Each structure stands twice: as structure tokens, then as C-alpha cells.
Amino acid sequence: MALFAVLAWSLLTPSAAFGQPGAYHFGFKKSVDGRLPSIDEEGFKPIITKHGALFLGDTNQKELFLTFDNGYENGYTPRILDVLKEKNVPAVFFVTGHYVKDQPELLKRMVMEGHIIGNHSWSHPDMSQLSEGSIKTELDKVKDQVEVLTGQKEMKYLRPPRGIFNERVLAASKQFGYINVFWSVAYKDWDVNAQRGSQFAYNEVVKQLHPGAIILLHSVSKDNTEALGRIIDEARRQGYEFKSLDQLGTGSQ
């Protein structure tokens, strides 16, 4: 539980992380009424753009990209996978070392059912305080173990732990072959002791939908699990298409 408690408070906080110069928590101005969100005011847009990190897909297309952060298993991922299979929706699951060790069968199922496993680091550190060598070790351990378990040979998507990053983290991970993937739709879904019902989850996600959205959900949320099918149906009713990250271009910031 502590892992996600530490991780997720940063989701919507654009301030500098722990006072470290040049380190940020990813944050954004939310979409309202279908208008595009922005990262124009947070101070990190130049390095996001410079290093090819993504927070939006093609904003000229009614496309959506569904991503989950899986730091630990709270009993809901099997149902999430059931819904994705039923609705024929691809997703990316960003996993930690803890998840890799704890849930090998779920990892195998993700890949078998056509989803992508992304890197969320082995021990979930603040990577802005690590050396490049330590960053590489964190990422290699996840990639290597996922390949052993699932046969997924390529791992090219990274979500920095706790949403904390700086230019060095983005540059180093890009050098190691990763595309940093942030998000443009999110809400406070990670607190398992503050779930507010599936209707709340549905409303929070649907009201933020916009062209090219990268949606971040946490798989520990009971609300997300119960609302997921309805969210997918409503998005499609509005004319959106769910795509794999492998179909995502360079994005639009």
C-alpha cells in the first residue's frame, strides 16, 4: 500500500520535487469540455519536448490510449483484463519490480492477450537522485525479468516512478531506448481508503476526454474496475477509438 501512497500524491502536482533543482512532479492543466489540456505553465515543457517524452497523442484524431500503473496487486487486475478482452481494448501496464515478482501469471496474461508491459522501475525510486548507471540498473531489471516471464523482448515505454523527473532522467532513459510516457487524463484514484464509487470514477474520466488523450488509471482502484466498461462504452459513443501506444506518433505538446 505504501508504494502507491507515495507514488500517487504526485500525479497532479506540478511543483518541484523535494526541492531538487530541475526536478519536477508531472502535472497538467486538465481538459474541460473537450478542450486540450496543457503543460504550458508547469515549467518543464521544454525538456519534455526536447527528449521526446509524451503526454498527448495526435490531438487531431479522436483517439485514446489507456494506461495502468501497477505497483502492487489489489485483486482487481483480472477483472480489468476481462473487461479489456470483452471490449477489445489494448492497454499498457506499467509495472514495478514488486509486481513482477508477485504477479508472474498476470504478467503472462497481459502479454498473451495483446497488451504491452511498460517499465515503472524496479524499486520505485526518485530517479532524479540516481546516477545514470543506477537508472539503467532499475530499468534493466524490470525489462529482463518481464522477458524471462512473458517472452516480451522489447520494452520501450517508461513511466517515471512517482511522476518525478528532471532533464537528466529523461535524457538517460532516452539513451537507454525508452520513450517516457506521462498522461493527460488522471484523477485521484490511487487511494484505496478513499474510493468514492464507480459513478465518481466514470464522471472524473469521461469529463476529461479529449482528442489524443493518454489516460492514467491505477489498477488498485475498485472504482476504476467497476467503471471501466462504462467508460469505454461512453468514449466510443462519443466517437473515440482506443489505440495501442505502438500506434502513437510523436504526439502534440
Side-chain angles (χ1 to χ4, degrees):
M1 298 290 184
L3 174 67
F4 262 59
V6 172
L7 172 154
W9 69 268
S10 68
L11 291 180
L12 305 179
T13 307
S15 57
F18 303 123
Q20 295 296 313
Y24 302 92
H25 285 117
F26 185 79
F28 61 102
K29 184 177 180 180
K30 287 186 177 183
S31 170
V32 178
D33 297 327
R35 296 192 297 272
L36 295 179
S38 76
I39 53 172
D40 293 335
E41 301 172 9
E42 283 70 25
F44 52 67
K45 183 176 180 179
I47 64 171
I48 291 278
T49 303
K50 176 181 177 182
H51 296 290
L54 298 167
F55 103 103
L56 290 172
D58 185 346
T59 58
N60 294 311
Q61 303 291 328
K62 294 197 77 172
E63 60 185 23
L64 302 173
F65 303 90
L66 189 56
T67 73
F68 293 88
D69 281 4
N70 291 61
Y72 67 94
E73 180 54 42
N74 197 30
Y76 299 121
T77 304
R79 176 57 185 153
I80 289 170
L81 288 168
D82 289 345
V83 172
L84 297 177
K85 184 176 183 179
E86 175 190 345
K87 303 291 185 182
N88 193 28
V89 171
V92 178
F93 293 88
F94 289 96
V95 302
T96 61
H98 173 83
Y99 201 91
V100 170
K101 291 185 293 183
D102 189 55
Q103 297 296 329
E105 295 307 313
L106 282 177
L107 293 178
K108 293 174 186 177
R109 181 178 172 187
M110 290 169 188
V111 172
M112 183 175 63
E113 295 184 359
H115 304 296
I116 296 169
I117 298 177
N119 207 320
H120 203 37
S121 81
W122 188 259
S123 62
H124 205 262
D126 172 356
M127 292 202 301
S128 73
Q129 299 193 31
L130 299 184
S131 67
E132 289 187 9
S134 295
I135 291 172
K136 188 174 188 302
T137 298
E138 283 281 333
L139 302 181
D140 284 352
K141 287 178 72 175
V142 174
K143 177 183 181 298
D144 293 346
Q145 287 301 306
V146 167
E147 181 178 352
V148 168
L149 288 170
T150 71
Q152 178 184 281
K153 295 186 180 302
E154 184 178 45
M155 184 173 283
K156 59 183 178 181
Y157 301 115
L158 166 67
R159 180 158 284 156
R162 302 185 234 171
I164 300 174
F165 66 98
N166 58 15
E167 181 160 19
R168 186 168 55 82
V169 169
L170 297 184
S173 54
K174 182 180 179 181
Q175 176 186 343
F176 303 145
Y178 286 92
I179 299 169
N180 284 272
V181 180
F182 294 98
W183 55 87
S184 63
V185 171
Y187 78 103
K188 186 179 176 181
D189 63 343
W190 45 267
D191 188 344
V192 297
N193 296 313
Q195 298 293 290
R196 299 175 63 176
S198 62
Q199 187 62 43
F200 179 81
Y202 172 88
N203 291 341
E204 286 297 303
V205 174
V206 168
K207 72 183 181 183
Q208 294 184 65
L209 294 180
H210 58 270
I214 298 175
I215 302 170
L216 165 60
L217 298 176
H218 286 85
S219 61
V220 295
S221 167
K222 180 175 185 286
D223 293 351
N224 286 342
T225 305
E226 294 178 350
L228 182 59
R230 292 175 58 213
I231 290 169
I232 292 169
D233 290 346
E234 175 58 19
R236 284 175 166 162
R237 188 194 69 78
Q238 294 184 25
Y240 286 100
E241 178 184 1
F242 286 89
K243 294 184 177 181
S244 167
L245 268 186
D246 283 344
Q247 297 172 278
L248 187 152
T250 57
S252 173
Q253 276 91 35

